[in-house]
Amino acid sequence: MNKYEVVYIIDPAVEEEARKALVAKYNELITGNGGIVDKVEEWGKRRLAYAIDYKTEGYYVLVNFQAESELPKELERNLQISESVIRYQVIRIEERKSSVKPAKPRPVRAAAPVAPAAEAPVETPAAE
């Protein structure tokens, strides 16, 4: 199973009960298709970076879950159909490999002092 993260923005005009039902609907969609919901964070109403459909605010929800690779497509399809969801993004979380050790920094050595160059004899053109 892969780890995923979905952030979706709900229209702020949606009432609280309908918003909670919408969040529960998407969580049930994940669990109903064999996924596991790890964490649900409701960030609340926030200002959008730019206006979407003349709306300047949205209700943000973050869900971390584990599922097979087919589930995110189904989740995106359902999020796209809903008129209450303004925007959404589903991403797969890559796991870091901890077996690789960072390289040790090499000690910095002071540069060897450079001896001043010996003056070369100046050649003068010979008078003919």
Side-chain angles (χ1 to χ4, degrees):
M1 292 204 350
N2 299 319
K3 291 186 178 185
Y4 295 95
E5 176 177 282
V6 61
V7 176
Y8 54 94
I9 305 171
I10 300 172
D11 186 349
V14 175
E15 294 183 14
E16 187 175 349
E17 281 186 31
R19 187 175 56 235
K20 288 185 180 194
L22 201 60
V23 171
K25 172 186 166 185
Y26 293 124
N27 291 342
E28 289 173 14
L29 178 72
I30 293 169
T31 56
N33 286 316
I36 302 168
V37 176
D38 295 332
K39 179 173 61 170
V40 177
E41 289 183 25
E42 293 187 29
W43 292 346
K45 194 180 285 188
R46 295 182 179 227
R47 186 164 179 78
L48 299 174
Y50 55 91
I52 301 172
D53 295 331
Y54 304 104
K55 296 176 178 84
T56 57
E57 289 186 330
Y59 191 86
Y60 284 72
V61 180
L62 168 73
V63 180
N64 291 342
F65 64 97
Q66 297 176 28
E68 296 299 326
S69 60
E70 297 83 26
L71 182 60
K73 290 180 184 177
E74 178 65 19
L75 182 60
E76 285 179 348
R77 187 182 72 78
N78 282 280
L79 287 166
Q80 190 173 11
I81 291 171
S82 177
E83 292 181 10
S84 300
V85 176
I86 300 172
R87 287 283 191 272
Y88 63 89
Q89 184 169 19
V90 181
I91 61 169
R92 181 173 172 239
I93 299 174
E94 296 286 332
E95 297 202 25
R96 300 181 112 183
K97 304 210 180 208
S98 61
S99 63
V100 179
K101 294 181 182 177
K104 292 183 181 178
R106 293 184 179 184
V108 178
R109 296 183 185 178
V114 178
E119 291 188 29
V122 178
E123 291 185 29
T124 56
E128 289 182 30

